[in-house]
Amino acid sequence: MAPSSPLPALPPFDELRPRIVANLAAFRRRGALPLADGLRHAAVTVCVLEDEEGRPYTIVIRRAAHGRNAGQWALPGGRLDEGEDALTAALRELDEEASVRGVEVAGLLDDFVTDSGFVITPVVAFGGRQRPRRDPYEVASIHRVPLERFLAPGVPRWRIDEEGRSLLQMPLGPSIVIHAPTGAILWQFAEVALKGRDLRVAGVAQPHWTRR
């Protein structure tokens, strides 16, 4: 078996931060539209942290085996409480689900409308050298994803489902394969925030099991 290729290198956290901020500032996000009938507003955070050696990573969670989206991969987040805006909700959920707080907001990505009736606002933030801890009621596990994974060959990849649709997959670890909507948000994060490209993901198909 041939050895696996090394992951592409990214600069340390402190050098990467201004690049991400500049890329998001140059990005014309699509969002802040009135909610159509039957849609509910939610928010998530793509939180960039640094490990003990200053290498940047983000976190994904696996939902607990009960409630909405049981067992699915997700970003820390949830629906807005009454009177909340998306930014407040995203950071509140990041604190509640992963115990990451006091973050610095870098910018926002496009709102994403899910098949299950949510409009998700993705927030990108820097959390420094914190150690995420899961809320055991809502989160089965928290997983670190080095940002280099987003630049690896085969990320993203596409597969044809039983309905003949081309489905996005983000293979971000040995046992981490993430589909839309979370996969679409992470793909846009990689293209916009890390690479400075203008990518839209509104038309990315979602697997049928995410429609619950």
Side-chain angles (χ1 to χ4, degrees):
M1 181 181 295
S4 58
S5 301
L7 295 178
L10 278 174
F13 182 91
D14 288 342
E15 296 178 29
L16 185 63
R17 181 199 304 252
R19 180 197 299 183
I20 291 176
V21 171
N23 287 342
L24 289 171
F27 177 64
R28 292 189 175 185
R29 74 175 293 266
R30 296 175 182 172
L33 299 174
L35 291 182
D37 289 345
L39 292 178
R40 293 156 290 178
H41 201 170
V44 299
T45 304
V46 182
C47 188
V48 180
L49 298 145
E50 59 177 322
D51 67 13
E52 295 76 9
E53 298 180 5
R55 294 171 299 195
Y57 70 95
T58 191
I59 55 173
V60 295
I61 64 175
R62 189 180 284 277
R63 292 282 174 205
H66 59 79
R68 178 178 290 276
N69 301 324
Q72 292 185 25
W73 293 109
L75 290 161
R79 67 181 72 184
L80 275 61
D81 288 344
E82 186 173 356
E84 269 189 325
D85 60 26
L87 181 58
T88 301
L91 301 189
R92 172 182 56 77
E93 291 281 356
L94 179 65
D95 183 0
E96 292 176 358
E97 294 186 342
S99 297
V100 175
R101 55 185 66 91
V103 302
E104 174 192 344
V105 174
L108 281 70
L109 299 170
D110 286 345
D111 283 358
F112 190 92
V113 181
T114 74
D115 291 345
S116 57
F118 283 91
V119 177
I120 301 176
T121 297
V123 176
V124 179
F126 301 112
R129 196 169 291 189
Q130 301 189 52
R131 178 171 294 180
R133 298 187 307 276
R134 69 184 179 93
D135 170 5
Y137 180 76
E138 294 191 72
V139 178
S141 54
I142 296 179
H143 301 259
R144 293 187 181 192
V145 179
L147 293 194
E148 286 90 348
R149 285 293 313 175
F150 292 96
L151 309 181
V155 180
R157 69 188 185 197
W158 301 87
R159 296 291 185 269
I160 303 301
D161 72 358
E162 64 275 9
E163 300 173 17
R165 301 174 306 156
S166 184
L167 290 184
L168 167 74
Q169 293 184 334
M170 296 290 284
L172 297 178
S175 59
I176 304 175
V177 178
I178 305 180
H179 299 78
T182 299
I185 292 169
L186 289 171
W187 183 29
Q188 189 177 55
F189 164 74
E191 293 295 310
V192 172
L194 298 183
K195 302 177 185 178
R197 298 175 179 172
D198 188 19
L199 174 76
R200 306 295 173 176
V201 294
V204 174
Q206 300 164 54
H208 63 86
W209 39 262
T210 68
R211 300 171 188 168
R212 298 191 294 271

